[in-house]
Amino acid sequence: TRGAPKPDTVMYTAMMHACGKAGQAERALALLEEMQGEGLVPTEVTYNVALFATARRRDMWKEGKALFEAMQR
């Protein structure tokens, strides 16, 4: 048996997108942190998906702003 595939940036980004569409921005951001903890580097698409998730939640504007500022570094 081959086992489960090892998560990569594309897989994490897809899971984050699903969380964002479901209104689970906290989970999307947790996946971003998990992904980075695994040594994977977020792409522009990954950051866009994370911003999308926070933008759908008015109460998460501070997290979205912090994410945007982190992208600029």
Side-chain angles (χ1 to χ4, degrees), residues 7-66:
D8 60 7
T9 303
V10 173
M11 187 179 294
Y12 272 107
T13 302
M15 291 188 299
M16 289 169 54
H17 182 68
C19 290
K21 286 182 74 171
Q24 298 179 2
E26 294 94 347
R27 180 67 181 133
L29 294 180
L31 285 167
L32 177 61
E33 288 183 23
E34 181 180 322
M35 180 183 115
Q36 292 172 312
E38 292 290 325
L40 298 171
V41 178
T43 65
E44 292 86 3
V45 174
T46 306
Y47 280 121
N48 189 27
V49 166
L51 283 173
F52 166 79
T54 60
R56 291 180 52 106
R57 295 269 309 271
R58 290 184 178 194
D59 62 327
M60 294 197 68
W61 68 270
K62 288 181 183 177
E63 290 85 348
K65 184 176 185 261

